[in-house]
Amino acid sequence: MIKAAMHAGTAFRRCTFDLFPRRLPTGRSYGVVAGTGRALEALKHFRFGPEEIEFLRDRGIADDMLAEWLADYKFSGNIRGYAEGELFFSGSPVAVVEGSFAEAVVLETLLLSIFNHDSAVASAASRMTLAAEGRPIIEMGGRRTHEWAAVAAARASWIAGFGPSSDLEAGRSWGIPVSGTAAHAFTMLFDSEEDAFKAQLEAMGEQTTLLVDTYDVDDAIRKAVELTEGRIGAIRLDSGDLSVEVRRLRKLLDSLGATKTRIIVTNDLDEYQIAALRGAPVDGFGVGTSVVTGSGHPTCGMVYKMVSRADSDDPDAVQHPVVKKSQNKGTIGGRKTVMRQIDQSGTATAEVIGVDVAPRTDSNDRLVMVDLVRNGEIVGEEPLQDARDRHARARAELPLAGQKISRAEQAIPTIFVTHEGEKTENIYLIGEPPANL
Amino acid sequence: MIKAAMHAGTAFRRCTFDLFPRRLPTGRSYGVVAGTGRALEALKHFRFGPEEIEFLRDRGIADDMLAEWLADYKFSGNIRGYAEGELFFSGSPVAVVEGSFAEAVVLETLLLSIFNHDSAVASAASRMTLAAEGRPIIEMGGRRTHEWAAVAAARASWIAGFGPSSDLEAGRSWGIPVSGTAAHAFTMLFDSEEDAFKAQLEAMGEQTTLLVDTYDVDDAIRKAVELTEGRIGAIRLDSGDLSVEVRRLRKLLDSLGATKTRIIVTNDLDEYQIAALRGAPVDGFGVGTSVVTGSGHPTCGMVYKMVSRADSDDPDAVQHPVVKKSQNKGTIGGRKTVMRQIDQSGTATAEVIGVDVAPRTDSNDRLVMVDLVRNGEIVGEEPLQDARDRHARARAELPLAGQKISRAEQAIPTIFVTHEGEKTENIYLIGEPPANL
């Protein structure tokens, strides 16, 4: 595309691309933006080195003109977008990239990959922390997904309220807390379960979590309590019918005097099973597969579409909206500004997206988009804790119906405002445009 | 685990770990092993550098003894496993790792991540190439998954018979063919669709594929044919009801004299939609989301379990089988040897897994496992083409019922043989152990 546009003289026309989800996955009431920080970090290092360029030349993909341009590539445009941890809804312009066609289009795969993956994980993770109602969830899905996706998934789930991750590299790269667990193999390595427990207690102290279901659960619990005189920090159960078992094991622990010992459960948990354990004496969860694979929705389906462009490559040329008409896959041209409408009680009521117009804000309403990159300079970096805090705040604004774990509609409507004025016929919901629009 | 085992004196006991799927995803008749080559490549570079070790010390995870051991880490054991591209079934020991507990257990996450991800993609991809019945499929899902998972997914889908990938880095890293496509944004960049087509034809030649559904499909096709005097290589349709549309467009192309122009379709295709287009005049497919996310099964659920160990750290000590008894998550201890039972017509009839015994092979039967690493030396590397060829051969052995795209049972039974002898009661199917076992 860039080569052809270069030869035709259009490659440096100023353009704007929106990165947005057409809709939420069926049954989900909201999504969670994650990946912003990773995208900014990746953008910093997004260059084409000699090896990459040689490959492109060898395969006949790049000619001299393109190769030279790639060698000098450094994004010089602007990116505005949702701050990380923020909620998104259908049509939310999560990132808006403005620059020459060439420099903006070459970022398409990078940005979509990061946002589609990280936001899918964060969206699933947020439903799990909602369901857990404050009880901690350890992220332990690294082994169920690509080795680098695992690191990003640990980061995304932490933004959405998870506790520590078992992925040590995630701790090293992103500073998030890490926490381990012993596997069944550790128990089986020793000549007896008791030897294994002793070794773990020796190395980790009495606050460690002992895995109790390698052989006989009740025996294991009795051993754990005996060895620590009732002070064992936690036991982990990784099999069986958890809701029945944990009640029984709580009673057993209490009867042995280990009333402070916590019960941690793992075993292919997802948000539905966590919700089903609401009344059970579970003190913490470990979640793997379901969170790193987005709990049924492993990608967000975000797309990257041109929404306006100039007729020349003058950086100051006015951009006019462009619109694609593909059946059921149309786009809405123009520059977007987003306002989360918040009522007097602090509850979100609508996602209002102004198209070439800023939505009017009232007292509690807040503008959602922030500057991430300005003239090529990255300005949107922030500590990961800020994204985590922002997510907790934004989710607390959701109406009660939007906090359902069961199949739900989008929590608040997405409303596009196409120009200022009193007329409500210029306001429509995604999927339900009035006939005159 | 390693720290505790070191202090207890058990860390260097010789152990064997099996990496295997407990079962196939519901409805799937077979799985495809992918990731072997990537795992061997990763193993080569799997070291702990000063930054990693410092992090582990800072967080109190590594003490002096563990830190020293990590600094010197290099896997010195053995890995046997399924060659890449091979089929797998429930219980198939895709990789068997033998070494000291410490050196084998530290590979768990790396190996599981690679095999779980790559095999999930290859398993889905193989169903798509089956459904396509020889018509080429381009992999274009890079933007729907983590940026590095994307590269691995392109590689895995190529093993399973896909055509070129749109992921250029996959071409550079793994030498697989790459192929591009123009986006709607390219068309919209120009003052008219005709200008865009002219620019693309100029840069890419008449054999290029023109995207025809940015504005009006019929107009676009007429333009494409006019501009090339009927010689346009292919058109791509990315929206609408494909099965109806392609028939109409084929007639339109033919009526305009463009009888050799191919029709390529994209638009959230999966194996079911490809199968539904069997009778339609489609010349090629582009598949994105569904292949990189495993078409409903984004991970294989492979696990890494200790199956035998020695009682000492003597490298020559005899290992004895170990068995975990967790409810519904038990393991089968012992050393595995696998034979694909093939009947006289060349059709696979069973996956026979010998436990501490080699299954007897008959004329057409073949042993499935190969040496991948011997005493730390990597011996299983091969050109990617070999894996692709192997997959085509192995899949051709499946019985017809195992080649169904619709919901199916496992194509052939998995049979564990526990010791030699005539008695069939020592043979059982996974999930259906006879009462006496």
Side-chain angles (χ1 to χ4, degrees), chain B residues 88-309:
Chain B
F88 70 82
F89 303 94
S90 41
S92 294
V94 169
V96 174
V97 179
E98 197 227 339
S100 73
F101 173 77
E103 70 177 342
V105 83
V106 82
L107 294 179
E108 172 168 2
T109 299
L110 180 74
L111 296 179
L112 282 177
S113 289
I114 292 175
F115 281 104
N116 270 325
H117 174 267
D118 292 16
S119 300
V121 173
S123 298
S126 176
R127 289 163 55 78
M128 296 173 192
T129 54
L130 256 186
E133 296 183 327
R135 289 177 285 183
I137 311 181
I138 297 174
E139 188 283 308
M140 42 198 285
R143 63 198 59 188
R144 302 290 187 224
T145 184
H146 181 278
E147 65 274 23
W148 286 111
V151 178
R155 180 186 181 280
S157 54
W158 196 71
I159 290 172
F162 264 53
S165 168
S166 69
D167 193 305
L168 293 169
E169 179 61 24
R172 196 181 73 82
S173 314
W174 299 105
I176 66 179
V178 292
S179 177
T181 171
H184 293 102
F186 180 79
T187 307
M188 293 155 78
L189 172 66
F190 289 80
D191 296 332
S192 73
E193 190 172 50
E194 187 168 341
D195 285 355
F197 284 4
K198 280 182 185 164
Q200 185 174 336
L201 289 164
E202 184 72 30
M204 310 299 290
E206 286 178 344
Q207 281 311 300
T208 195
T209 301
L210 293 175
L211 176 62
V212 294
D213 65 352
T214 307
Y215 307 115
D216 182 274
V217 174
D218 292 23
D219 280 358
I221 289 181
R222 286 201 182 86
K223 257 173 241 152
V225 173
E226 260 175 48
L227 289 170
T228 58
E229 293 174 351
R231 291 184 302 267
I232 176 65
I235 59 159
R236 173 163 80 101
L237 189 65
D238 182 45
S239 56
D241 180 340
L242 296 177
S243 62
V244 174
E245 273 293 271
V246 289
R247 287 189 170 81
R248 201 177 65 73
L249 299 184
R250 182 72 267 164
K251 280 187 197 156
L252 175 60
L253 282 165
D254 290 348
S255 76
L256 297 169
T259 53
K260 290 189 179 159
T261 300
R262 286 166 298 122
I263 300 179
I264 311 296
V265 297
T266 56
N267 190 18
D268 281 337
L269 297 178
D270 60 17
E271 63 267 45
Y272 303 104
Q273 284 162 291
I274 292 172
L277 289 167
R278 269 177 182 157
V282 170
D283 301 287
F285 304 90
V287 173
T289 306
S290 65
V291 69
V292 299
T293 59
S295 199
H297 300 289
T299 185
C300 285
M302 290 192 195
V303 294
Y304 187 80
K305 297 293 168 188
M306 187 193 287
V307 293
S308 66
R309 68 159 173 85

Side-chain angles (χ1 to χ4, degrees), chain A residues 191-366:
Chain A
D191 296 333
S192 72
E193 191 173 49
E194 186 167 341
D195 285 355
F197 284 4
K198 278 182 186 165
Q200 185 174 337
L201 290 164
E202 184 71 30
M204 311 299 288
E206 288 178 344
Q207 281 310 299
T208 194
T209 301
L210 293 175
L211 177 61
V212 293
D213 65 353
T214 306
Y215 306 115
D216 182 274
V217 175
D218 292 24
D219 281 357
I221 288 181
R222 286 201 182 87
K223 256 173 243 153
V225 172
E226 260 174 51
L227 290 170
T228 58
E229 295 175 350
R231 291 185 303 268
I232 177 64
I235 59 157
R236 173 162 81 99
L237 189 65
D238 183 45
S239 57
D241 181 340
L242 296 177
S243 62
V244 175
E245 273 293 272
V246 291
R247 286 189 170 80
R248 200 177 65 73
L249 300 184
R250 181 73 267 165
K251 279 187 197 154
L252 176 61
L253 283 166
D254 290 348
S255 75
L256 297 169
T259 53
K260 289 188 177 161
T261 300
R262 286 165 299 121
I263 299 177
I264 311 295
V265 297
T266 55
N267 190 17
D268 282 337
L269 298 178
D270 61 15
E271 64 266 45
Y272 302 104
Q273 283 163 289
I274 293 172
L277 288 168
R278 269 177 180 155
V282 170
D283 300 288
F285 305 89
V287 173
T289 306
S290 65
V291 68
V292 299
T293 59
S295 199
H297 299 289
T299 185
C300 284
M302 291 193 193
V303 294
Y304 187 81
K305 297 293 169 189
M306 187 193 288
V307 293
S308 64
R309 70 161 171 85
D311 291 330
S312 82
D313 47 11
D314 174 357
D316 299 322
V318 174
Q319 294 185 26
H320 54 85
V322 291
V323 173
K324 151 168 103 104
K325 290 175 182 156
S326 311
Q327 221 177 316
N328 300 325
K329 292 170 84 173
T331 49
I332 295 165
R335 180 190 164 87
K336 315 293 189 306
T337 309
V338 183
M339 180 259 283
R340 181 88 24 98
Q341 199 177 59
I342 309 283
D343 71 12
Q344 300 218 325
S345 71
T347 303
T349 52
E351 185 82 334
V352 182
I353 303 179
V355 182
D356 289 323
V357 64
R360 280 164 306 178
T361 53
D362 214 338
S363 55
N364 285 334
D365 304 337
R366 59 190 177 80

Side-chain angles (χ1 to χ4, degrees), chain A residues 30-60:
Chain A
Y30 67 96
V32 179
V33 177
T36 321
R38 281 218 310 124
L40 295 178
E41 184 64 26
L43 189 63
K44 243 188 247 176
H45 306 287
F46 195 71
R47 298 286 189 284
F48 296 84
E51 283 180 33
E52 282 85 8
I53 291 171
E54 198 187 312
F55 165 78
L56 295 172
R57 276 167 127 24
D58 278 358
R59 295 279 183 112

Side-chain angles (χ1 to χ4, degrees), chain B residues 233-394:
Chain B
I235 59 159
R236 173 163 80 101
L237 189 65
D238 182 45
S239 56
D241 180 340
L242 296 177
S243 62
V244 174
E245 273 293 271
V246 289
R247 287 189 170 81
R248 201 177 65 73
L249 299 184
R250 182 72 267 164
K251 280 187 197 156
L252 175 60
L253 282 165
D254 290 348
S255 76
L256 297 169
T259 53
K260 290 189 179 159
T261 300
R262 286 166 298 122
I263 300 179
I264 311 296
V265 297
T266 56
N267 190 18
D268 281 337
L269 297 178
D270 60 17
E271 63 267 45
Y272 303 104
Q273 284 162 291
I274 292 172
L277 289 167
R278 269 177 182 157
V282 170
D283 301 287
F285 304 90
V287 173
T289 306
S290 65
V291 69
V292 299
T293 59
S295 199
H297 300 289
T299 185
C300 285
M302 290 192 195
V303 294
Y304 187 80
K305 297 293 168 188
M306 187 193 287
V307 293
S308 66
R309 68 159 173 85
D311 290 331
S312 81
D313 48 10
D314 174 356
D316 299 321
V318 174
Q319 294 185 27
H320 54 86
V322 291
V323 172
K324 148 168 106 101
K325 292 177 182 156
S326 312
Q327 218 178 319
N328 300 322
K329 292 171 84 174
T331 50
I332 295 167
R335 181 189 162 88
K336 315 293 189 307
T337 310
V338 183
M339 182 257 283
R340 181 89 25 97
Q341 199 177 60
I342 310 282
D343 71 11
Q344 300 218 327
S345 71
T347 303
T349 52
E351 184 82 334
V352 182
I353 304 179
V355 181
D356 289 323
V357 64
R360 282 164 303 178
T361 53
D362 212 339
S363 57
N364 285 333
D365 304 337
R366 58 188 178 81
L367 291 172
V368 172
M369 297 177 79
V370 297
D371 279 352
L372 299 171
V373 180
R374 219 179 283 137
N375 297 321
E377 192 200 339
I378 291 167
V379 297
E381 282 179 310
E382 62 178 4
L384 201 56
Q385 182 71 45
D386 291 4
R388 182 175 163 98
D389 294 345
R390 180 180 299 111
H391 177 63
R393 285 197 308 274

